[in-house]
Amino acid sequence: LMDAYRNAPTTYQAWCKIVPMTDFRSTRMVDFSRLPDLEEIGESGKPVEGTVNEAGETLSLKEYGRSLSFSRRAIINDKWGAIGAIIATVGGRVAYKRNALAYAKLVANPALVSVSTDTVFHANHGNVGTTGALSATTLAELRKKIREQKLKGDKESATNGMRSNAQMRTLVVGASLELTAEQLLSASYVPTAASGVMPGSLRSLNVVTDAEITSATAFYGFAGTDEHPCFVETVLGSEGILSDMVFDEETRGVKHLVRVAHNVQAVHYRGAAYNAGA
């Protein structure tokens, strides 16, 4: 089961930060972009006192699980290891489920309660690119939007905050754009015009492709998950998968129980940008 879980091809970890929680109680993720700004110290030599705003998005856990029963006769008749293969497959299903839930949250573009009433990717957040096909021009625009996003101190507004200068590190596309992304970022790519030249900084992007993004045109850019996380997956400590095989005294069969605690949530818009494509 654990081998199948570890070997499943999941990709969401490239843009979704993993946040361990100690229990099932809801908690808030501190919005580090709202830390107080430094101010000039006057003649008194006493720094101006500031406060830390902890009004970030609420994080919570959900629990998923399933049980499978195997009768005594099924166990006796299993000469080819089918039961073991079924249990191993369950491990892969756990990984696929986590991956699917993460991309479902990304594609849904949920609203941010603490930051604003707008969705993660929204014109008011300045992280929606001019609609256009994946190219050097549209990629450069996403990079620019991520780099120019502003931090907010206790005395700053959305218009006068300092620039984050965050670097776009990951390009996320669906299966339909996989070839286009690989060709654009290939060292062998030959542009037909100066505007199509792909600089080394863009060629170094980590390209992540996942079929859970069903759009044939949309693409996403992300900064590092440790610098500016926009989506997080909460997990229960280092628990991982709980797998138990319970013997049934009455039927002389067994029941296999699997459960895992996790949840995927949007926490900010800073550090990401999106283009619907064309």
Side-chain angles (χ1 to χ4, degrees):
L1 183 145
M2 291 307 300
D3 284 344
Y5 171 74
R6 284 188 288 263
N7 293 329
T10 60
T11 64
Y12 71 96
Q13 299 91 337
W15 52 267
C16 186
K17 181 180 177 67
I18 310 300
V19 176
M21 296 181 67
T22 57
D23 52 44
F24 285 90
R25 290 176 294 182
S26 297
T27 185
R28 286 190 179 274
M29 184 170 183
V30 176
D31 183 0
F32 293 103
S33 68
R34 299 185 184 185
L35 295 178
D37 191 15
L38 300 181
E39 294 191 12
E40 182 180 354
I41 297 177
E43 187 175 345
S44 67
K46 182 180 179 180
V48 178
E49 185 174 349
T51 58
V52 177
N53 190 329
E54 296 185 16
E57 294 291 307
T58 300
L59 301 182
S60 63
L61 276 173
K62 293 182 179 180
E63 196 166 25
Y64 299 85
R66 205 64 187 262
S67 67
L68 295 173
S69 296
F70 301 98
S71 68
R72 174 175 177 269
R73 293 187 181 186
I75 296 171
I76 293 174
N77 292 337
D78 184 23
K79 293 182 172 61
W80 310 109
I83 292 177
I86 291 172
I87 293 174
T89 302
V90 171
R93 282 301 182 96
V94 172
Y96 289 130
K97 179 72 172 181
R98 295 175 73 161
N99 191 70
L101 288 174
Y103 277 98
K105 185 69 69 171
L106 172 65
V107 172
N109 191 21
L112 295 167
V113 178
S114 68
V115 180
S116 68
T117 58
D118 299 318
T119 56
V120 175
F121 303 105
H122 195 282
N124 291 343
H125 292 156
N127 62 357
V128 177
T130 305
T131 302
L134 180 62
S135 66
T137 301
T138 52
L139 271 181
E141 184 189 30
L142 289 195
R143 178 178 65 174
K144 178 176 180 290
K145 286 184 175 296
I146 292 175
R147 191 179 292 279
E148 290 185 343
Q149 289 169 344
K150 294 182 179 180
L151 306 173
K152 283 182 62 177
D154 52 351
K155 296 184 179 180
E156 295 171 327
S157 67
T159 58
N160 67 351
M162 297 178 292
R163 306 286 183 177
S164 71
N165 268 313
Q167 181 179 348
M168 186 169 80
R169 302 182 184 279
T170 302
L171 170 65
V172 182
V173 299
S176 296
L177 282 181
E178 181 174 14
L179 179 60
T180 302
E182 290 177 344
Q183 288 175 331
L184 277 175
L185 301 178
S186 168
S188 303
Y189 172 65
V190 179
T192 58
S195 60
V197 172
M198 192 66 68
S201 57
L202 286 178
R203 289 190 195 277
S204 64
L205 286 174
N206 175 34
V207 180
V208 173
T209 304
D210 201 287
E212 292 292 344
I213 298 179
T214 57
S215 171
T217 58
F219 52 98
Y220 303 79
F222 288 93
T225 56
D226 290 330
E227 305 169 82
H228 300 284
C230 293
F231 293 85
V232 302
E233 182 191 41
T234 51
V235 295
L236 186 58
S238 58
E239 182 178 81
I241 302 176
L242 291 183
S243 176
D244 298 301
M245 192 73 79
V246 181
F247 178 68
D248 189 329
E249 286 280 359
E250 185 175 0
T251 65
R252 314 301 289 179
V254 295
K255 181 177 289 187
H256 182 232
L257 308 172
V258 175
R259 65 180 69 224
V260 60
H262 66 103
N263 194 16
V264 179
Q265 294 157 272
V267 296
H268 216 287
Y269 66 89
R270 191 174 294 107
Y274 161 79
N275 193 311

